[in-house]
Amino acid sequence: SLMPSSMPSTMPSSMPSSQPSSIMNLVRSFAYGGLSWEYDHLLTIDNNEISTLVNSGWTELCNPHYSPSPLCSGTNGDGPFLLYQNNGSDRVALYRCYTGVNHFFSTSASCEGRTKQTVLGYLSTQRTSETPRPLRRCYNSSGFVHFHWLDEHCPQDSAVSQEGIVGYVK
């Protein structure tokens, strides 16, 4: 199996927009161990890493209800989204972090005292026409797993709690 802490994340896939400051990274979502929010979740923008993940037993997640995508399949709300590639007004960095066991994302530059793996991109702190989707951070206490949920509240489950909206994405 793939050693999650050793995976590089250096080559982003990006989607151009009309202005250089509006270039966005496509953030893709993977789970290891199953499709449920009970398993390690990893966000990536690195095309090389995506290939490694797929070949190492990770499953790409999708959100077909709100953003059908040819990238993936499934029925979870924790699928792909877009972040700004560059910092700017009303933006904050989104980091991929690692506890030593599981991955999570955070707007904390210190990764809440854990290992920072990469900057995924920049969230909007305001809902706009360019970034209309709320990105929520959820926590599953039974699996000790943080995961994201797009557009709606975290799943209704006794072990899942909503940690809040961390920003807005496309």
Side-chain angles (χ1 to χ4, degrees), residues 25 41 56 67 70 90 101 105 108 114 116 127 136 144-145 167-168:
N25 288 336
H41 281 67
S56 300
S67 61
D90 296 321
V101 176
F105 65 91
S108 164
R114 302 299 185 152
K116 178 172 38 175
R127 176 180 257 163
R136 288 179 170 79
F144 306 105
V145 174
Y168 297 89

Side-chain angles (χ1 to χ4, degrees), residues 16-122:
S17 187
S18 57
Q19 301 172 359
S21 65
S22 296
I23 294 173
M24 301 189 100
N25 288 336
L26 175 62
V27 180
R28 293 169 68 176
S29 178
F30 289 82
Y32 189 78
L35 294 175
S36 167
W37 51 80
E38 295 179 12
Y39 302 100
D40 189 11
H41 281 67
L42 180 144
L43 300 175
T44 186
I45 59 174
D46 182 338
N47 286 325
N48 293 327
E49 183 176 55
I50 289 165
S51 176
T52 302
L53 290 167
V54 169
N55 292 325
S56 300
W58 289 77
T59 302
E60 187 164 7
L61 304 174
C62 192
N63 183 352
H65 301 292
Y66 297 98
S67 61
S69 169
L71 302 172
C72 54
S73 61
T75 58
N76 291 338
D78 52 353
F81 56 92
L82 296 169
L83 291 176
Y84 290 107
Q85 192 174 68
N86 300 305
N87 201 355
S89 178
D90 296 321
R91 295 181 191 169
V92 62
L94 186 67
Y95 301 92
R96 184 175 81 194
C97 310
Y98 187 62
T99 65
V101 176
N102 291 316
H103 296 86
F104 67 100
F105 65 91
S106 178
T107 56
S108 164
S110 68
C111 276
E112 302 168 37
R114 302 299 185 152
T115 302
K116 178 172 38 175
Q117 290 190 315
T118 192
V119 176
L120 295 165
Y122 296 85

